Amino acid sequence: MVRLEETTIIKSPIDRCFDLARSVEVHLAGNKHCGETAVATAGVTSGLIGMSQQVTWRAKHFGVWQTLTSEITAMERPTYFQDTMIRGAFRSMKHDHYFRSLSSGETEMKDVFFFSAPLPVLGRVAEIVVLRRYMQALLHERNVAIKRIAESGEWRKYVA
């Protein structure tokens, strides 16, 4: 299993950061290069994803269309939530989202992301050689989008 971490400091209140991280539209804005779309077959396709809700994502990775369904499996507003893959190409995938208010009025957003490739031996090689770097780049791209949106007036389009 691969463990990735990404920490981002955002000049924005914790509640706003927490909600933007749960927004389907913000997620899509942060993954445009993959042509990702939310598919209606498994629950939430717009707005904020809540506890026990599912969303199915469809995106092109490595030239192949992939479908992944995740569910919010834990939530402690506004400091933590977890999404877990329930169907998809990975053997397993879990994403912990942590939020902490800083004394400067900023928010620390920390992602801890775990995944295992589908095939044990070949999957482990793929995890080490390709997937670790690729997934870290996707995580970073998403966080850059959340930071940009949260620190501008654009956040009003996504959360009230």
Side-chain angles (χ1 to χ4, degrees):
M1 178 166 292
V2 175
R3 180 181 193 273
L4 304 175
E5 268 192 43
E6 177 89 9
T7 301
T8 306
I9 305 299
I10 303 172
K11 294 176 186 150
S12 187
I14 191 171
D15 291 304
R16 182 183 305 161
C17 297
F18 183 83
D19 287 344
L20 289 171
R22 296 182 304 122
S23 167
V24 170
E25 290 83 2
V26 170
H27 181 88
L28 294 172
N31 289 288
K32 285 189 176 187
H33 79 277
C34 320
E36 194 164 39
T37 57
V39 179
T41 59
V44 179
T45 58
S46 66
L48 303 181
I49 303 168
M51 182 63 191
S52 301
Q53 291 184 319
Q54 297 177 4
V55 61
T56 297
W57 304 101
R58 184 171 184 266
K60 189 180 268 190
H61 296 283
F62 303 109
V64 178
W65 283 102
Q66 306 277 333
T67 301
L68 179 139
T69 300
S70 63
E71 179 176 334
I72 302 299
T73 50
M75 185 179 289
E76 190 80 30
R77 181 171 177 54
T79 58
Y80 172 74
F81 73 94
Q82 177 185 79
D83 59 269
T84 304
M85 182 193 78
I86 52 176
R87 276 185 303 283
F90 290 97
R91 189 166 18 138
S92 66
M93 188 170 80
K94 182 177 74 166
H95 186 174
D96 293 312
H97 307 256
Y98 298 93
F99 302 84
R100 185 169 64 96
S101 289
L102 303 177
S103 59
S104 59
E106 298 173 319
T107 299
E108 178 188 78
M109 181 174 72
K110 180 178 178 181
D111 294 274
V112 182
F113 186 82
F114 300 91
F115 70 91
S116 294
L119 303 171
V121 176
L122 290 175
R124 187 64 186 145
V125 172
E127 285 173 358
I128 294 166
V129 175
V130 178
L131 289 175
R132 175 186 295 273
R133 188 174 316 135
Y134 185 78
M135 297 305 287
Q136 186 77 51
L138 287 179
L139 191 58
H140 179 75
E141 181 181 17
R142 173 190 161 274
N143 288 3
V144 166
I146 291 171
K147 179 178 174 71
R148 177 183 50 77
I149 291 166
E151 292 179 349
S152 72
E154 192 180 348
W155 66 269
R156 291 178 183 88
K157 292 188 332 191
Y158 304 103
V159 296

